[in-house]
Amino acid sequence: MAEKKEMSFEESVARLEQIVKDLENGKAPLSDSLALFEEGVALVRACTEELDKAEKRIIELTGGEADE
């Protein structure tokens, strides 16, 4: 089985935008819509995790002076 290439944050956001368009279109069968939704949820989680890491790094670099 081939390994999945990890997407960059920007690639993930672009894919999420495409998923939203596809779901809003409403033309996909239910099973496809569910698969898209599931992929979207996973991407949101990955993006949130990446943003959390970036925030922690910014706090470290600024000596804890970042706004919360």
Side-chain angles (χ1 to χ4, degrees):
M1 186 173 181
E3 235 181 87
K4 284 188 177 181
K5 177 188 168 266
E6 192 169 318
M7 284 192 242
S8 70
F9 179 81
E10 292 78 12
E11 290 170 328
S12 294
V13 170
R15 178 62 184 142
L16 274 169
E17 289 172 348
Q18 184 59 53
I19 288 171
V20 168
K21 286 179 187 176
D22 292 347
L23 289 172
E24 286 179 342
N25 173 317
K27 293 182 181 177
L30 179 59
S31 61
D32 292 348
S33 294
L34 185 56
L36 286 170
F37 182 80
E38 187 174 0
E39 181 184 356
V41 169
L43 287 168
V44 167
R45 288 181 181 149
C47 287
T48 300
E49 191 175 296
E50 192 69 26
L51 287 171
D52 288 345
K53 287 179 188 177
E55 181 181 29
K56 287 177 185 176
R57 183 70 178 133
I58 290 168
I59 290 170
E60 287 174 9
L61 292 170
T62 60
E65 297 175 15
D67 290 339
E68 293 188 19

